[in-house]
Amino acid sequence: MGKVTLRNLAAHKIRLVLTAVAVILGVAFVAGTLIFTDSMNKQFDELFSRIGTNVAVDVRAKQVVGADDDGSAAQPVPAAVLKALRGVDGVKDPKGNVSGYAAVVGKDGKIVGTAQNGPPQIGVNWTTGGSYDLSAGRAPQGPGEVLVDAKTAEKGKLAVGDTTRVITAGQPARMRIVGLVDTGNLMGATLTAFDTATAQKLMLKPGYFTDIEMGSTGVSQAELRDRVAKVLPQNMEAVTGEKLREESKSDIATMMSFFRTFLLAFALISIFVGSFIIFNTFSMLVAQRTRELALLRAIGAARGQVTRAVIGEAVAVGVVGSTLGLAAGAGLASMLQTQMGDAGQGGLTFTATPVIWSYAVGIVVTVVSAYFPARRAAKIPPVAAMRDDVALPQRSLRIRVALGSLLTLAGAGLIGAGLAGNGGNPAVPVGAGAFAVFIGIAMLAPVISVPVMKVLGAPFARLMGSPGRLARQNALRNPRRTAATAAALMIGLALITTVNVLGATMRASIDEQVDAQFGADYLVQADGAGGIGAGVSEKVKATPGVSAASPTYEGEARIEGKNASFMSGDVPAIAKAAKLKITSGGTAIGGAGIMVDEDTAKHNGWKVGSAVPVQFTDGRSERLTVTGVYTKSDLIGNRIISQAAYQRHTVNPSMDAIVVDASAPGAATKTALESALKDYPNVKVSDQASLKEDARKQVDGFVTFLTILLVMSVIIAAVGVINTLALSVIERTREIGLLRAIGISRRQLRRMVRLESIMIALFGAVLGMGIGVAFGAALQNALADKGLGVLAVPYGTLLVYLVVAAVIGVLAALWPAWRAGRMDVLKAISTE
C-alpha cells in the first residue's frame, strides 16, 4: 500500500500542492510567532544580563499599590538612607539612582522616538561604573549638560557640542550635549543622563533617589540584604540583585507571553480554516477515486490498508506543508522584527520549540482532517467496484442538523455565560463558545445553503442565461461540498465583521460619551508618557481668551483593601468639565474628602458622610469622608479624591491633563494655546472634535491591526475555493465535454465556473457577516455598562466586504475556468 500512496501522490501533485498551501500558511503563522517571541526574549535576556550586573542589593520603597506597574507613583528613597547604608558592614560603593521621563528634541523640533505607545524615553543620573559606557565626550558636570545615547543622537541629527531641548516633568531645559552613551540594544528606548543633582531636580525631587544599589565586599547577597534591612525605615525594603533582575525579566516574560498567546490565537484561526480546506480536498479526492479504492478492496486490500493509504497521503502533505511553513515562518518573524524598528535589531533565534510545534500542528491537523474521508473510503464494499455509479456512503443530514443545532446553541450559551460572568477569564468560555458556534453553523451549512444559494443564484440565472442557470445548479448539486468550501470563508469574514462592528460601536459610543460628558472647551494633555510639565498650567492660564484652567491628576491607592484608581484636582472644575450629575452631597470636598459614583457607593454601602480608609503609595493611610455621589462617568471614573490629600502623599505630583474654559472658544483661542505651548512638543491641545478624532484614530488602528491578522484566514479560504473548483472541474470532465458537444462555447463555460465560484464566495460572506454582526451585537450588549452603550453596524464596510468576496470568487475561478475551457471535447466525453 506504500507504493499505492506514492503513486497517488505523484498522480495528484497539483491538487495536493494546493492543499499544502493551507498547511503552509497556517504553520507559517505558528512558526513565525514562536520564532519572533523567542528572538525577542533572547534580546531582553541579553539586555537584562548587562544591566545591574554588579548590584548585590537594591534598596527601594515598598510597593503598596499593586496596580502601580510602571513605578510612576512609587515613593522615592531619601538621601539620608544612602548615608546610613555607607556604615553597614559588607556594603560596597552604594549609589543612588534617579530615573524618570526625559525626552530629547531633535533638529526638526520634534521629540526623538515614538511618543505615543512606543518605546520609553528614559532619563537617569550618570554614575561612574554604571551599566553604560561613554562612546564619546565626557560626563555631565552641571545643570546645563546632558548625555544622549548614540542612536537617539543619530535619529535627531544631534552631535557632541550641540544644544538641544530636553523635556521632563518639569520645565523644558536647554542643554548642551557633552557626550554620547553606548547603550547596546535598548529595544528602541531613548536614554538621557544628567549629573545627580540635575536629575533629581528635573525628574524627582532634590535630596531623593528612585532607588539605591550597592555591591558586596564578599558577603552573600542574602546576608547583605538582611544586614541592610535592619537600618532601613519601615516603608523601605532591600532586595537582592538577583531578585531585582528576575523581577524585570518576569515582567517582560509576562508581556511577551501575552503577545505570543495573542498571535497564536490568530494562527489557530488560520489552521482551523485550513482544516476545512484539507477535509474538503481529501473528500473530493477520495470521491473521485471511489472505483479505484473499491477495486483495491476487491483484490484483497483490507479496510485498514485503504485508510492508511489515504492517511499516508495526508502525512506527506503535512510534512511538506510543515517544512515550507517553517521556512515561511522564519521570513514572517524577520518581517515582524523589521516592523519593530530598533527593538528588532538582534537577529532571529532558532530553538527546537518552533520546529516541534510546526510539524506537530501541520501533520496532526492534516491527518485529522483527512481521517474521516479515509474512513468513508474504507467502507466501500468490494462488489461496488463492479458498478459504474459507485459513490461514497453519505450520512443522513438529520443527524448533522441535530448535532449542528445543539453545538450552535451550546456555543451561544458559552459566549453568553463568558460575557456575563463577573469573575474568571472570560476569554476561555467565549473562545470555546465561538469555536462551537462555527462548528455548529458549518454542520448546518448544507441545509442553509440550499435556500440561500437559490436566492443568491436567482439574479445570475436571470441575467446570465444558461451559464448562470448551470452555475446555480452546480452550486446546489452537492450542498455538503458547497457548505464546506464556504465555511472557510465564513469563519474569516465572521471574525473580521465582529471586529468591525465592535470598532464602529466603540467609535459611536465614544462620540456619545464626549457629547454627553465633556463640558470644557479644551483639554490639554500629554501626547505620550511623562505627564505634563509643571510650567504648562501657568502658560495655559496666561493665554489670551482662557478664562479658567484646572490641572487634574490620576493616582492609585488601596481602598477597602483593594487596588483602586482615582482622579484628583479642582473638584468643582472637574465636575463642570465632565458634566457630572450629582445625586447626593456636593463638590465641596475639602482637604480630606472623596466622591464616588453610584455603583461604587452601592457596592460598598457608602453614603454621604461615610468614612473610607485609603492607603496611599507612600504606605500611609487616611480616612476620607464621602462628600458626594454622582452618576456613572466614563471620563472621570469611579472616584475623585481631594487634591490636598493626593499631594500629601505624593512627593512628585504629575499632571495628567488640564481642563480649560475660554471666554470666546474657537479657532483663534485654540491657536493661541498651541502657540503658548510650542516649547512643549509632548503636549497637545484638544477640543471636543479633536478628542473624537483622536479616539477614532486609535480605534481605527486597532481594527486595522486585527483585520490584517485575520486576512490570513481569508487568503487560506480563497485557496480552498480554488482547490474545490479545480477538483470539481476534474470531477465533471465528461459533463463539461457533453456541454461543449451540445454547443456551449468556451467563454460560456468559463463564465459558468466563475459564477459558481462567486456564488460560493457570496454564500460564505453572507453567512460569515451575519454571524459577525450577531457576535458584535452580543459583545456590545454585554459591555454596555463598560462604555459601549451604542450599537453601530458599519453597513458601508460590510458592503465592501461583500464586493471583496465576489472578487475573491472571480480570482479563485481563473485557473479552474481556464482549465475547463481548454479541455478537448472528445477526450472529455470519453472520460469515465
Side-chain angles (χ1 to χ4, degrees), residues 520-534:
D521 294 317
Y522 304 102
L523 186 69
V524 177
Q525 54 190 334
D527 188 12
I532 297 176

Side-chain angles (χ1 to χ4, degrees), residues 687-717:
D687 55 16
Q688 193 176 78
S690 53
L691 280 175
K692 293 179 182 178
E693 184 61 28
D694 289 344
R696 289 192 198 106
K697 286 180 180 178
Q698 291 187 22
V699 172
D700 290 344
F702 173 72
V703 169
T704 301
F705 175 65
L706 293 183
T707 301
I708 290 172
L709 291 177
L710 289 167
V711 161
M712 180 72 78
S713 63
V714 176
I715 293 173
I716 294 174

Side-chain angles (χ1 to χ4, degrees), residues 658-682:
I658 302 173
V659 291
V660 181
D661 286 327
S663 55
T669 303
K670 186 178 180 182
T671 301
L673 279 168
E674 291 171 340
S675 177
L677 300 176
K678 63 182 179 181
D679 291 334
Y680 299 84
N682 65 323

Side-chain angles (χ1 to χ4, degrees), residues 438 489-491 493-495 497-498 763-773:
F438 283 134
L489 192 59
M490 170 199 77
I491 295 168
L493 282 176
L495 294 173
T497 301
T498 301
F763 173 54
V766 169
L767 202 58
M769 287 190 292
I771 295 171
V773 171

Side-chain angles (χ1 to χ4, degrees), residues 184-413:
N185 184 9
L186 261 186
M187 313 298 287
T190 64
L191 181 78
T192 53
F194 317 87
D195 69 275
T196 298
T198 303
Q200 289 173 327
K201 179 181 177 182
L202 291 177
M203 297 182 295
L204 199 57
K205 188 176 182 179
Y208 286 88
F209 298 101
T210 305
D211 67 309
I212 299 173
E213 63 181 40
M214 65 209 73
S216 172
T217 58
V219 182
S220 70
Q221 290 189 4
E223 185 176 349
L224 185 60
R225 175 200 60 200
D226 295 339
R227 292 181 185 180
V228 167
K230 293 178 181 178
V231 302
L232 295 180
Q234 188 176 1
N235 63 335
M236 299 289 159
E237 66 176 354
V239 296
T240 62
E242 185 63 31
K243 181 181 179 182
L244 188 68
R245 287 185 287 275
E246 287 301 321
E247 286 178 352
S248 299
K249 289 182 180 179
S250 176
D251 291 341
I252 296 298
T254 301
M255 180 189 73
M256 293 306 297
S257 176
F258 171 79
F259 188 61
R260 173 180 286 197
T261 303
F262 179 77
L263 289 180
L264 283 177
F266 290 92
L268 291 176
I269 290 169
S270 297
I271 292 168
F272 181 45
V273 170
S275 66
F276 282 88
I277 296 167
I278 298 166
F279 173 83
N280 209 25
T281 301
F282 275 93
S283 294
M284 296 183 72
L285 285 174
V286 169
Q288 291 172 17
R289 287 156 42 201
T290 301
R291 195 173 186 190
E292 172 193 328
L293 296 174
L295 283 169
L296 287 174
R297 293 277 288 117
I299 62 175
R303 285 188 177 185
Q305 288 178 305
V306 173
T307 301
R308 286 194 294 273
V310 178
I311 293 296
E313 296 177 36
V315 170
V317 171
V319 170
V320 173
S322 298
T323 303
L324 296 176
L326 182 60
L332 178 62
S334 179
M335 185 178 69
L336 286 172
Q337 278 200 329
T338 302
Q339 296 300 313
M340 295 288 289
D342 289 337
Q345 300 301 311
L348 295 179
T349 298
F350 294 93
T351 65
T353 302
V355 178
I356 293 171
W357 277 107
S358 294
Y359 281 101
V361 168
I363 295 173
V364 169
V365 169
T366 308
V367 169
V368 170
S369 300
Y371 175 75
F372 296 101
R375 286 273 295 173
R376 286 205 301 272
K379 292 180 180 179
I380 301 173
V383 72
M386 311 303 171
R387 297 167 49 194
D388 290 332
D389 60 344
V390 60
L392 284 175
Q394 297 282 357
R395 288 188 178 184
S396 170
L397 284 177
R398 293 180 181 177
I399 298 175
R400 184 170 181 146
V401 169
L403 188 56
S405 301
L406 183 62
L407 280 173
T408 303
L409 292 173

Side-chain angles (χ1 to χ4, degrees), residues 508-590:
S509 298
I510 289 170
D511 286 352
E512 183 190 57
Q513 289 170 13
V514 172
D515 288 336
Q517 300 179 20
F518 185 69
D521 294 317
Y522 304 102
L523 186 69
V524 177
Q525 54 190 334
D527 188 12
I532 297 176
V536 173
S537 181
E538 287 71 23
K539 291 268 188 182
V540 171
K541 290 177 181 177
T543 302
V546 171
S547 57
S550 304
T552 65
Y553 306 85
E554 288 187 356
E556 303 281 343
R558 289 185 68 81
I559 301 177
E560 293 283 3
K562 296 180 180 179
N563 296 330
S565 60
F566 63 82
M567 180 171 280
S568 185
D570 183 345
V571 177
I574 291 174
K576 179 183 176 184
K579 298 182 179 179
L580 281 187
K581 296 178 181 178
I582 311 297
T583 58
S584 62
T587 59
I589 200 168

Side-chain angles (χ1 to χ4, degrees), residues 457-527:
F460 297 104
R462 186 175 297 110
L463 299 175
M464 299 295 181
S466 297
R469 289 191 294 273
L470 289 170
R472 183 169 68 162
Q473 290 172 9
N474 288 336
L476 289 167
R477 179 186 301 179
N478 193 330
R480 295 173 190 262
R481 182 186 304 166
T482 298
T485 307
L489 192 59
M490 170 199 77
I491 295 168
L493 282 176
L495 294 173
I496 289 175
T497 301
T498 301
V499 169
N500 279 267
V501 169
L502 195 58
T505 296
M506 291 170 68
R507 288 189 291 268
S509 298
I510 289 170
D511 286 352
E512 183 190 57
Q513 289 170 13
V514 172
D515 288 336
Q517 300 179 20
F518 185 69
D521 294 317
Y522 304 102
L523 186 69
V524 177
Q525 54 190 334
D527 188 12

